[in-house]
Amino acid sequence: MFNFDYYNPTRIIFGTERIKDLDLHIPANANVLITYGGGSAKKFGTIDEVKQALGSRNYIEFGGIEPNPHYETLMKAVNIVKSEKVDFLIAVGGGSVIDGTKFIAAAAYFEGDAWETWISNPPLDRVLPMGCVVTLPATGSEMNGTAVISNTALNAKLSHKHPLLFPRFAILDPRKSYTLPTKQIANGVVDAFVHIAEQYLTYPVYGKVQDRFAEGLMLTLIEEGPKALAEPDNYHIRATIMWSATQALNGLIGAGVPQDWASHRIGYYFTIHHGLDHAQTLAILLPAVLDVQRESKRLKLLQYAERVWGITQGSDDERINSAIQLTRKFFENMGLPTYIRAYGIPESSIDEAINYLKRFNLLPLGEHKNITAIEARKILSLSY
């Protein structure tokens, strides 16, 4: 294993009717900004529950944070924070709302051009404290210090990571996911699965604890993902999915092991330019990344084939092929097509995606930094 520091200060408040406990974790005199997305949190009463839990505290609502949150929208919230002297943030929603709120927390103290400051990845010295109420299990953003936002004017989608961006607390009530459309539940399962894969399918460093955790989470998602689609009101299934998504990206399974993230970085182009959901881009790209990188990932792919998919017969390449095919089939069975063409995107997008990667200096990619423009083109061609 590599040397590592593991730090996670986020308090998890898990279970039914836990929003009322929000009162215990916010200063009594806090001036609060409640952030949310397209309105479902308001429509189904979650915002009202948050407001009730705040009691006599002053609060302001800010809705309309988009999937893949837009810099332009978030800056409106930053201006409100500054003008109204907000000193605590509560994000109500999924990963996009939480990521956007992390940006607001940091940008409240930025001077000058906030986007330029954000992409320069400065060492932050202070951010506004924030908590979150999770309604969509997917990204794990509720328990990590990473945020990804989009700048539509620049056609850019970039991330920032800092320990100060960890939420103070996260309320996870699985019942809040009951009202989600089937597509969003499927996206969340695939998103969490690929988060695990990006930290697991690299090369061995004797990280046996991390490997077994990762394998257990993947097996759980494979078992429970289809059930979540078939039984939308099953609390136990939804609770398992929600906790799995949080565990997938809270730093635990990635501590001391190499990590990839090529599928994520290449996928940014298809989200920002073609409007694909984040999970759709991952379903498209991960199988191709595994295929193109099979030599450098060989030992872990064979381990994955045996421990996750139960494949023990055949040559090394046959077992790897079967594991990749079963991964693709899992994504397809969750309702996510795994080829670019299935979304009506032209083949010219391959050249455009390569140019995007070059423009934002995202190459080389992968745990070995061996995915250059040549390998990226192979991955995209195989994905088409």
Side-chain angles (χ1 to χ4, degrees):
M1 271 189 292
F2 303 156
N3 293 350
F4 67 87
D5 290 2
Y6 180 68
Y7 171 75
N8 200 312
T10 303
R11 179 188 297 273
I12 296 296
I13 304 161
F14 192 99
T16 60
E17 300 181 4
R18 299 305 305 275
I19 291 178
K20 65 181 184 297
D21 295 333
L22 181 150
D23 173 64
L24 304 173
H25 304 287
I26 299 177
N29 61 348
N31 187 24
V32 178
L33 182 71
I34 305 170
T35 60
Y36 58 96
S40 61
K42 200 170 183 68
K43 175 182 177 182
F44 294 111
T46 306
I47 297 296
D48 286 339
E49 289 183 57
V50 170
K51 292 192 294 189
Q52 184 174 355
L54 288 174
S56 61
R57 295 174 182 84
N58 186 56
Y59 61 81
I60 304 167
E61 296 180 39
F62 183 86
I65 295 178
E66 307 87 354
N68 305 296
H70 295 180
Y71 167 74
E72 299 83 354
T73 300
L74 300 176
M75 284 306 299
K76 295 176 184 177
V78 172
N79 291 334
I80 292 172
V81 165
K82 291 180 176 180
S83 64
E84 300 296 328
K85 296 182 171 52
V86 168
D87 54 23
F88 206 100
L89 306 174
I90 299 176
V92 183
S96 291
V97 174
I98 298 169
D99 279 14
T101 306
K102 290 178 182 178
F103 171 83
I104 296 165
Y109 293 109
F110 288 170
E111 296 181 3
D113 189 303
W115 177 255
E116 289 300 321
T117 303
W118 180 256
I119 65 173
S120 66
N121 211 25
L124 305 176
D125 55 10
R126 58 177 178 164
V127 303
L128 284 177
M130 66 169 284
C132 47
V133 176
V134 180
T135 61
L136 171 58
T139 70
S141 186
E142 66 273 9
M143 202 178 179
N144 66 46
T146 300
V148 183
I149 68 167
S150 300
N151 188 320
T152 55
L154 300 176
N155 286 325
K157 180 178 178 181
L158 298 171
S159 64
H160 190 101
K161 182 177 183 179
H162 195 278
L164 290 181
L165 294 177
F166 279 91
R168 298 284 182 91
F169 63 84
I171 295 174
L172 281 70
D173 181 346
R175 295 176 311 127
K176 296 302 175 186
S177 70
Y178 286 2
T179 57
L180 292 171
T182 299
K183 177 184 176 182
Q184 287 188 313
I185 289 298
N187 279 352
V189 169
V190 171
D191 195 358
F193 188 92
V194 179
H195 285 160
I196 300 162
E198 296 263 43
Q199 299 167 89
Y200 171 78
L201 286 169
T202 55
Y203 58 90
V205 292
Y206 213 77
K208 299 186 77 171
V209 173
Q210 297 90 323
D211 280 0
R212 290 298 191 184
F213 279 173
E215 290 155 2
L217 288 169
M218 285 190 281
L219 283 165
T220 299
L221 290 169
I222 291 167
E223 292 168 359
E224 300 297 309
K227 294 179 187 177
L229 301 183
E231 302 177 49
D233 295 335
N234 187 312
Y235 176 84
H236 301 294
I237 292 170
R238 288 302 177 92
T240 300
I241 295 291
M242 182 169 272
W243 190 225
S244 296
T246 299
Q247 292 289 318
L249 202 58
N250 67 358
L252 188 61
I253 64 171
V257 302
Q259 301 181 26
D260 185 350
W261 304 112
S263 298
H264 277 70
R265 301 293 182 265
I266 299 172
Y268 286 173
Y269 161 80
F270 292 97
T271 295
I272 198 74
H273 284 270
H274 295 283
L276 294 193
D277 296 340
H278 175 58
Q280 290 173 330
T281 72
L282 301 179
I284 290 167
L285 290 162
L286 180 69
V289 169
L290 298 180
D291 203 347
V292 172
Q293 294 292 96
R294 66 169 56 216
E295 290 307 317
S296 62
K297 295 179 182 290
R298 178 169 289 268
L299 293 176
K300 291 303 286 286
L301 279 168
L302 290 169
Q303 181 175 310
Y304 171 65
E306 178 178 353
R307 294 186 182 179
V308 176
W309 294 110
I311 303 166
T312 58
Q313 301 297 315
S315 67
D316 286 1
D317 279 329
E318 287 171 342
R319 282 178 282 155
I320 289 171
N321 288 341
S322 294
I324 295 172
Q325 289 167 5
L326 285 170
T327 303
R328 188 183 294 279
K329 183 179 179 181
F330 171 55
F331 297 161
E332 295 272 358
N333 287 344
M334 290 301 296
L336 279 71
T338 57
Y339 291 98
I340 297 169
R341 62 182 179 272
Y343 297 89
I345 298 171
E347 195 168 2
S348 59
S349 66
I350 293 174
D351 286 334
E352 293 167 3
I354 297 296
N355 291 335
Y356 177 90
L357 294 171
K358 291 177 178 177
R359 178 185 172 197
F360 291 104
N361 298 313
L362 296 175
L363 297 171
L365 291 166
E367 66 272 20
H368 293 290
K369 297 299 179 187
N370 61 349
I371 298 178
T372 66
I374 294 172
E375 286 74 29
R377 184 175 295 279
K378 290 179 183 176
I379 290 165
L380 287 161
S381 296
L382 197 58
S383 298
Y384 192 78

